[in-house]
Amino acid sequence: MKVAVFSTKSYDRTFLEAANVGGKHDLVFFEPRLNLETSVLAAGFPAVCAFVNDSLDAKTLLGIAEKGVRLLALRSAGFNHVDLAAARDLDLTILRVPAYSPYAVAEHAVALILSLNRRIHRAYNRVREGNFALDGLLGFDLHGKTVGIVGTGRIGAITAKILHGFGCRLVGYDVYQNPDCLALGMEYVALPELFAASDIVSLHCPLIPETYHLIGAEAIGQMKPGMMLINTSRGQLIDTKAVTKALKSGIIGYLGLDVYEQETDLFFEDLSNHVIQDDVFQRLLTFPNVLITGHQAFFTEEALKNIAETTIGNITDFEQGRPCPNQIDLDRLKK
Ligand code: NAD
């Protein structure tokens, strides 16, 4: 099948070509992000392959559908960036990669916790400059601390398991209770209780209307002063302005982000020669107790291999008219 692959980086190409054994599909790689303007590139392709920061709003979907696209193969688990109602009305099929390596993301969340706690980001720079003073690097034992996991699905459960190994007490919030988390001794509580009890809160729920700005002024008002907030899920779970205020007042003592509300204009690109226009983001970078990575939690060899292999398998299922377990059920959407 002829596939237009958008937002291609060298690593996407490497892993997709390796998974496309025997050149089964004709993959054409485009560096630009998919949006209304670049949708012209999809002309003549029955399939488009897209990533998390491609714009998959109603106009872009109409743009690709008009050019003959019938399949949208997402290289991601999340599909909050897709206008599903528009996709249904245009009769597009959407396939995704529901799980590729929950370990990759969970381990990155724990890396942020450990780095922030022991100030590794600051220590690294100090030692390189011959500054071996310890002032400002004081950490705390993770052992015995309470960690609140919001969203105890695949990634949340693995994060909980790793932190259980450190001797943390676990509290959780989810619309379903995960037996694996219960087996670790996790106590499921309401959100206000979770915020009040937790030294560290790690977000692992999807971005849906109910979770938009889950961490805002109200939630912050319920938190333990000096707590650590970690977000490796989706940027819009956090009201960044409210969190900045809480960093200034000290309610939030540490902030670790792999995702950011307005990341579409920043992440995955080298902007080191540009003036960054996002003042909210730039303010975050000035705090010594904030550590930001650019949506790299998924970025392990295992995850990229799984993403590529599942994506190629999804496209093959579609081409051969086989039911695909990774299809998003658009018929269940209300008209
Ligand atoms: P999952 O579907 O296995 O788990 C999500 C959990 O959230 C489920 O248990 C679900 O019941 C729960 N949930 C749903 N609504 C909720 C609500 N209102 N409040 C609390 N919990 C709720 O998904 P996963 O594989 O664990 O992924 C979690 C999230 O991680 C994804 O939604 C995605 O946004 C993010 N993610 C980030 C990266 C990255 O590179 N940073 C990579 C992959 C996934």
Side-chain angles (χ1 to χ4, degrees):
M1 194 163 196
K2 221 175 151 201
V3 187
V5 184
F6 282 86
S7 293
T8 308
K9 300 288 181 199
S10 59
Y11 43 84
D12 295 310
R13 190 177 182 137
T14 304
F15 282 88
L16 280 168
E17 281 179 343
N20 189 26
V21 183
K24 215 179 321 182
H25 300 292
D26 181 6
L27 306 178
V28 178
F29 296 97
F30 296 111
E31 279 181 37
R33 287 193 185 150
L34 176 58
N35 55 35
L36 184 56
E37 280 165 18
T38 59
S39 66
V40 290
L41 295 169
F45 290 88
V48 151
C49 182
F51 197 47
V52 287
N53 284 337
D54 286 309
S55 164
L56 301 168
D57 56 14
K59 285 183 182 162
T60 308
L61 293 181
L62 177 63
I64 59 171
E66 281 178 345
K67 286 168 194 72
V69 172
R70 291 176 291 124
L71 169 67
L72 179 57
L74 301 175
R75 307 199 291 283
S76 59
F79 48 87
N80 53 279
H81 57 313
V82 186
D83 188 326
L84 297 179
R88 179 203 54 203
D89 294 345
L90 293 163
D91 212 15
L92 287 169
T93 296
I94 307 185
L95 307 177
R96 65 181 184 126
V97 185
Y100 35 89
S101 172
Y103 301 101
V105 184
E107 288 169 12
H108 193 77
V110 176
L112 290 175
I113 293 173
L114 290 171
S115 302
L116 278 166
N117 173 20
R118 307 309 295 267
R119 328 263 176 180
I120 303 296
H121 53 303
R122 303 190 72 198
Y124 173 81
N125 286 323
R126 274 194 198 182
V127 169
R128 284 169 70 92
E129 288 176 10
N131 177 357
F132 304 103
L134 298 183
D135 313 67
L137 302 184
L138 190 65
F140 57 83
D141 285 7
L142 270 178
H143 181 90
K145 295 297 179 296
T146 300
V147 182
I149 306 279
V150 180
T152 57
R154 279 172 287 242
I155 296 170
I158 292 166
T159 307
K161 194 173 172 194
I162 298 170
L163 291 166
H164 181 257
F166 279 101
C168 295
R169 177 182 163 238
L170 299 168
V171 290
Y173 173 77
D174 198 308
V175 286
Y176 302 107
Q177 298 197 356
N178 183 334
D180 293 345
C181 292
L182 289 169
L184 294 171
M186 180 181 280
E187 191 187 338
Y188 278 91
V189 295
L191 268 183
E193 219 178 303
L194 180 144
F195 293 137
S198 301
D199 301 292
I200 300 168
V201 171
S202 194
L203 305 178
H204 300 288
C205 58
L207 173 64
I208 48 177
E210 302 87 77
T211 59
Y212 175 79
H213 281 188
L214 182 83
I215 305 296
E218 192 185 339
I220 289 164
Q222 296 158 350
M223 288 172 175
K224 252 189 181 182
M227 60 83 67
M228 181 188 293
L229 177 63
I230 302 293
N231 187 10
T232 57
S233 193
R234 283 292 178 265
Q236 288 164 334
L237 296 179
I238 287 184
D239 175 349
T240 316
K241 285 187 181 155
V243 161
T244 303
K245 218 169 143 192
L247 281 162
K248 286 163 82 176
S249 72
I251 298 281
I252 295 181
Y254 312 76
L255 177 67
L257 299 180
D258 185 53
V259 287
Y260 168 62
E261 274 194 272
Q262 305 297 337
E263 70 176 53
T264 317
D265 297 332
L266 300 172
F267 288 3
F268 304 126
E269 304 303 330
D270 178 0
L271 302 179
S272 52
N273 290 319
H274 292 72
V275 174
I276 291 177
Q277 301 294 326
D278 183 335
D279 293 344
V280 176
F281 185 77
Q282 290 301 90
R283 177 67 179 105
L284 279 183
L285 295 181
T286 66
F287 292 97
N289 50 352
V290 172
L291 180 52
I292 305 178
T293 53
H295 208 137
Q296 70 170 80
F298 75 100
F299 200 58
T300 65
E301 284 188 25
E302 291 78 1
L304 291 192
K305 186 167 180 284
N306 290 339
I307 289 172
E309 287 175 356
T310 304
T311 300
I312 295 295
N314 285 346
I315 295 167
T316 305
D317 281 348
F318 179 83
E319 184 184 40
Q320 298 187 352
R322 282 198 299 252
C324 177
N326 302 325
Q327 180 165 353
I328 297 172
D329 185 358
L330 299 175
D331 293 333
R332 285 178 55 193
L333 293 175
K334 288 192 201 99
K335 282 264 181 195

